[in-house]
Amino acid sequence: MVTVTFAQRKSAVLSPSRLACLRNVATINLTRGCAHACRYCYARGYSSYPGDGCVVLYTNTLEKLRTELARKRKRPQAVYFSPSCDLFQPVPQVLDLGYQVLAYLLGEGMNIALLTKGVIPPEHFALLCRHASRVRVQIGITTLDAATAACFEPHAALPEVRMAQIRRLIAAGIETHARVDPMLPGITDDPVTLDTLFAELARCGVIESAISSLFLRPTILQVLKRELRGTRYYDQLNTRLTACQRLAIHADQSTVSALSQGVRRELYQRVHLIAAAHGIAVHVCACKNPDIARGSCHIAGRWEREQEKRDHPVLFNEMGIGRWQG
Ligand code: SF4
């Protein structure tokens, strides 16, 4: 049960991000709080977090967006949904506003990138399909196990639904990648579980995935331990997180708790090999792993390439790299 309250947004709708991967894009949050209620969600630690089971919907988003976009001399390369919530939360008012905002931006010729763990409703799906070349999607998936997903991502789409969405998005010609993030220590990061997951992703047509292990703001770590006590996940997670290190990450101004650098390095190497065996290239999220990774996990797509293709179509064709594949 989610309580929705309504608010007028005072700050700008299109926000820049501190994350390197979002450098050239503008970001939008339609809500404060997120109905998916993932237990590990970093947004639960924000001072503006409205509390579990509550979302605040900014009802003047579209109106403000029209004004902002009209005033912009240089438009962002793309608009990214959403740094601190999900576009497809199971809340009718959020979905309605999301559709209107998407339709407006796509109608204005903007590029859209989105990351979701939600169910994409048919009308939203059809809209995205009509503008397939200007849409990039990452589907967040942490496990194929419905019970584990129900514990850690109680109101997000079932794993099988996310997989089906990946298949349909790719079939519709929308560049769609997976985001296996977070890998839960001792729960979803063992070789057999990972192999099963990447095999299924490959069957769905995935050729790229962003990955990261779990990182937790200190307050969320305490809450998570409390919430999981008595479940079959507690011992595994507690044991592995006891040896965690504090890490300053690009995604946040505070430090977070993460597995040690050595453990993460080993894990990412293992995932790289497992994914490669299924024909999937992985990118470690460098914003969360600044001590290990470089480059981008392409959370908001690769729009530079699209621009280059438009500017130098012949060169692209001769080089045979016109396909968006990294
Ligand atoms: S879907 Fe994303 S923003 Fe929403 S609760 Fe889960 S991790 Fe947080």
Side-chain angles (χ1 to χ4, degrees):
M1 181 67 184
V2 178
T3 305
V4 188
T5 53
F6 304 97
Q8 295 286 300
R9 187 195 297 267
K10 294 194 180 73
S11 57
V13 177
L14 296 171
S15 318
S17 169
R18 286 193 301 271
L19 299 184
C21 294
L22 298 174
R23 194 179 298 121
N24 297 320
V25 306
T27 70
I28 294 188
N29 286 307
L30 295 184
T31 60
R32 201 149 39 82
C34 178
H36 285 156
C38 303
R39 290 189 192 273
Y40 48 74
C41 180
Y42 58 89
R44 291 178 84 194
Y46 287 170
S47 55
S48 57
Y49 183 64
D52 293 344
C54 299
V55 296
V56 179
L57 178 68
Y58 296 114
T59 50
N60 61 339
T61 299
L62 186 57
E63 180 193 326
K64 275 180 77 75
L65 187 57
R66 286 182 201 279
T67 315
E68 277 176 40
L69 213 54
R71 283 191 189 140
K72 277 207 183 301
R73 274 207 214 127
K74 188 171 180 239
R75 291 186 166 193
Q77 206 166 44
V79 174
Y80 170 75
F81 296 83
S82 308
S84 305
C85 63
D86 197 302
L87 185 56
F88 301 116
Q89 298 170 51
V91 177
Q93 297 94 328
V94 177
L95 292 171
D96 284 352
L97 182 62
Y99 184 90
Q100 291 173 42
V101 170
L102 273 178
Y104 169 67
L105 289 169
L106 288 165
E108 282 290 310
M110 299 291 296
N111 295 322
I112 297 294
L114 65 94
L115 164 64
T116 185
K117 291 183 181 131
V119 178
I120 306 176
E123 56 275 27
H124 296 65
F125 193 89
L127 175 65
L128 297 175
C129 290
R130 287 199 292 279
H131 301 275
S133 66
R134 284 192 283 115
V135 177
R136 304 284 186 267
V137 177
Q138 276 195 355
I139 297 288
I141 179 93
T142 53
T143 178
L144 291 178
D145 181 60
T148 305
C151 175
F152 287 92
E153 302 158 345
H155 302 301
L158 292 170
E160 70 208 50
V161 172
R162 292 185 232 181
M163 287 298 184
Q165 285 181 166
I166 291 176
R167 220 176 285 123
R168 289 176 59 221
L169 286 160
I170 291 174
I174 295 178
E175 295 285 357
T176 302
H177 294 168
R179 186 170 192 91
V180 180
D181 176 13
M183 289 178 277
L184 300 166
I187 299 170
T188 65
D189 66 350
D190 64 280
V192 174
T193 303
L194 287 168
D195 187 67
T196 309
L197 175 59
F198 279 95
E200 188 56 28
L201 286 170
R203 272 193 286 277
C204 291
V206 170
I207 56 168
E208 276 192 47
S209 176
I211 58 169
S212 182
S213 182
L214 181 68
F215 82 105
L216 293 168
R217 296 177 118 222
T219 47
I220 302 171
L221 176 58
Q222 296 316 318
V223 172
L224 188 61
K225 283 185 176 179
R226 216 171 40 237
E227 290 176 344
L228 292 181
R229 197 158 285 140
T231 72
R232 67 185 168 106
Y233 306 106
Y234 180 78
D235 285 343
Q236 290 282 27
L237 207 60
N238 193 38
T239 310
R240 296 284 299 277
L241 289 179
T242 302
C244 66
Q245 71 170 67
R246 292 297 287 273
L247 181 69
I249 58 168
H250 296 162
D252 214 324
Q253 282 171 330
S254 62
T255 57
V256 295
S257 300
L259 295 178
S260 72
Q261 186 186 113
V263 172
R264 274 178 291 127
R265 203 182 280 282
E266 198 184 310
L267 171 65
Y268 299 149
Q269 182 59 25
R270 192 164 70 231
V271 179
H272 169 77
L273 293 174
I274 290 171
H278 295 290
I280 297 176
V282 294
H283 307 283
V284 176
C285 173
C287 297
K288 291 178 184 166
N289 298 270
D291 54 341
I292 297 180
R294 296 282 174 277
S296 172
C297 64
H298 308 294
I299 193 167
R302 285 189 184 83
W303 302 102
E304 296 83 355
R305 287 231 158 168
E306 293 303 312
Q307 187 61 49
E308 282 174 51
K309 267 196 285 184
R310 281 195 290 274
D311 293 347
H312 308 287
V314 177
L315 180 65
F316 258 80
N317 289 342
E318 282 171 359
M319 292 174 72
I321 56 173
R323 214 160 61 86
W324 188 64
Q325 61 182 10

